Amino acid sequence: MLLESTADATIENNFWSQDKLALNILLGKLEASNQSTIAIQNYFAKRAQIEEAYGNQLLELAESSHQIEECFSTILTSSEMSARAHVDLGQYIRNMLELPLKNYLADQENIKMFVTYEKNKM
């Protein structure tokens, strides 16, 4: 049942109505939003993991290739710099994107629990 199909379609009159129609709509939208945010958070978590793993593999390659002649030192330096950049990127993604999204989702869950608790008290 849509909010628009009720006799009085104003949110003020439907938000605290007996059927709690508007509240249920808002909770549904919050849940859908949370599912999208979880998908984004999972993407960033996986991306950070891939970047860090790739960077660590490049570091291992650079460290295991120290016996290469002096003329290839540029290759080793470049590999090590690239490796560190990928590790740093992975950590940046984790710190600046994944963790804030995780905290946002926790806050949203707390809001949802509070609203659901208040809804059930009525």
Side-chain angles (χ1 to χ4, degrees):
M1 183 167 147
L2 295 174
L3 182 62
E4 291 82 17
S5 66
T6 61
D8 186 357
T10 62
I11 194 163
E12 296 87 8
N13 293 329
N14 287 291
F15 194 78
W16 301 116
S17 64
Q18 289 297 330
D19 63 1
K20 299 176 185 74
L21 179 63
L23 182 59
N24 289 333
I25 291 171
L26 290 175
L27 287 174
K29 289 185 181 292
L30 176 64
E31 183 60 30
S33 172
N34 283 349
Q35 292 304 315
S36 296
T37 304
I38 288 169
I40 293 168
Q41 179 200 9
N42 290 338
Y43 169 84
F44 286 130
K46 186 66 175 174
R47 175 70 188 266
Q49 179 185 13
I50 290 168
E51 290 292 345
E52 289 171 348
Y54 180 61
N56 287 328
Q57 289 175 345
L58 284 175
L59 279 174
E60 288 175 19
L61 177 63
E63 290 169 359
S64 69
S65 301
H66 283 297
Q67 66 272 13
I68 295 178
E69 295 180 31
E70 189 65 33
C71 63
F72 294 108
S73 66
T74 303
I75 294 171
L76 292 177
T77 302
S78 175
S79 292
E80 187 173 338
M81 288 174 51
S82 179
R84 293 193 189 287
H86 283 282
V87 170
D88 291 346
L89 177 59
Q91 292 170 351
Y92 183 80
I93 289 170
R94 181 164 280 113
N95 292 334
M96 299 304 291
L97 299 170
E98 179 192 357
L99 293 177
L101 283 172
K102 185 177 182 179
N103 293 336
Y104 171 79
L105 285 169
D107 290 345
Q108 293 300 309
E109 189 60 32
N110 288 336
I111 291 169
K112 181 181 172 185
M113 287 180 2
F114 174 76
V115 170
T116 303
Y117 172 77
E118 290 296 319
K119 174 182 157 184
N120 292 333
K121 278 183 20 180
M122 294 179 190

